[in-house]
Amino acid sequence: MNSPSSAPVNLAEFLRKHLKVEPDRAGLVSVIETIAEASKDLSHSVRAAGLANILGSTGKVNVQGEVAQILDELATEGFAAALRKNEHVAGFACEELESSEVFPGRSEDRYLCVFDPIDGSSNIDVAAPIGSIFGIYPVTSGEVTEASFLRPGREQIAALYTIYGSSTQLVLATREGVNIFTLDPAGGEYLLTLPNACIPEEGPYYSV
């Protein structure tokens, strides 16, 4: 963890230091930052869910056969709107949407995002932890189609999830390793709280 004498590193600083090592990584930094910013808005909505009357189901069934929650739709709309605005996002696929969205004619430095906007929907009404899950793939060919998303997980260039619990945390996995950031409610930034996270070689228990 960060030593008491040093200022914590925020997500933007971390990404530019550890990921922007080549010109073609600028787009990846941008996509990760877009997801992080949208997750901050969702974190606020989760904490205010009971007060804002956004608990409960919509009565609709998603493509997985699950009853969609109001917060599912809110999260889907928030992340989708953010990704549409990012010129480095060539397309995205979401568990709550029937088909993917692709954006032709965008920057050469392009990525595909696959995501579950809210995992653990059944926990929403009882204030138990829920999260958002993302996988990011580089675009490897010129034209992006529905088939472009059908790729093995090992081809991901980055993956992340945010968990909305006693604190909001963002866990980022890249080929450089896994790092955990915690959202500072006062400053509104994700700060690095556990660099180089890994599973201990030994421990009393292991849970996922």
Side-chain angles (χ1 to χ4, degrees), residues 62-64 72-73 75-77 79-80 83 91-101 113-118 133-134 146 149:
N62 67 16
V63 293
Q64 306 295 330
D72 282 324
E73 287 196 349
T76 300
E77 291 168 2
F79 283 123
L83 293 172
F92 63 78
C94 170
E95 183 187 37
E96 300 297 328
L97 301 176
E98 292 187 6
S99 60
S100 61
E101 286 193 32
C113 295
V114 292
F115 66 100
D116 182 353
I118 291 286
I133 307 171
F134 279 81
E146 187 92 17
F149 295 90

Side-chain angles (χ1 to χ4, degrees), residues 1-2 178-181 191-198:
M1 296 181 68
N2 299 298
V178 178
N179 293 273
I180 301 177
F181 302 80
L191 303 178
L192 180 63
T193 48
L194 183 58
N196 302 315
C198 61

Side-chain angles (χ1 to χ4, degrees), residues 6-208:
S6 63
V9 176
N10 64 38
L11 179 63
E13 294 169 335
F14 175 87
L15 292 174
R16 278 158 178 76
K17 180 178 180 181
H18 294 277
L19 289 186
K20 198 175 179 181
V21 294
E22 300 172 7
D24 64 354
R25 301 298 288 275
L28 179 59
V29 169
S30 176
V31 172
I32 293 172
E33 287 183 325
T34 290
I35 295 169
E37 285 300 313
S39 75
K40 294 177 187 179
D41 293 335
L42 181 56
S43 175
H44 177 75
S45 296
V46 168
R47 296 188 183 283
L51 301 173
N53 195 31
I54 52 176
L55 296 175
S57 70
T58 63
K60 303 175 185 177
V61 178
N62 67 16
V63 293
Q64 306 295 330
E66 303 164 336
V67 177
Q69 304 293 313
I70 296 173
L71 206 53
D72 282 324
E73 287 196 349
L74 185 69
T76 300
E77 291 168 2
F79 283 123
L83 293 172
R84 289 185 188 112
K85 294 177 183 177
N86 190 310
E87 65 176 8
H88 297 287
V89 176
F92 63 78
C94 170
E95 183 187 37
E96 300 297 328
L97 301 176
E98 292 187 6
S99 60
S100 61
E101 286 193 32
V102 297
F103 312 111
R106 289 201 164 178
S107 165
E108 289 299 315
D109 185 14
R110 299 172 299 159
Y111 298 87
L112 300 176
C113 295
V114 292
F115 66 100
D116 182 353
I118 291 286
D119 184 56
S121 296
S122 59
N123 290 341
I124 294 172
D125 290 356
V126 294
I130 55 178
S132 305
I133 307 171
F134 279 81
I136 303 173
Y137 291 86
V139 174
T140 55
S141 61
E143 184 180 1
V144 175
T145 66
E146 187 92 17
S148 302
F149 295 90
L150 305 178
R151 298 162 64 182
R154 64 178 175 272
E155 292 185 10
Q156 291 182 69
I157 196 167
L160 64 90
Y161 72 84
T162 51
I163 185 166
Y164 315 105
S166 56
S167 62
T168 296
Q169 292 189 314
L170 184 151
V171 181
L172 174 64
T174 66
R175 293 169 183 174
E176 286 83 5
V178 178
N179 293 273
I180 301 177
F181 302 80
T182 301
L183 182 61
D184 175 13
E189 289 190 288
Y190 278 111
L191 303 178
L192 180 63
T193 48
L194 183 58
N196 302 315
C198 61
I199 300 171
E201 291 186 7
E202 295 183 4
Y205 56 83
Y206 173 68
S207 61
V208 177

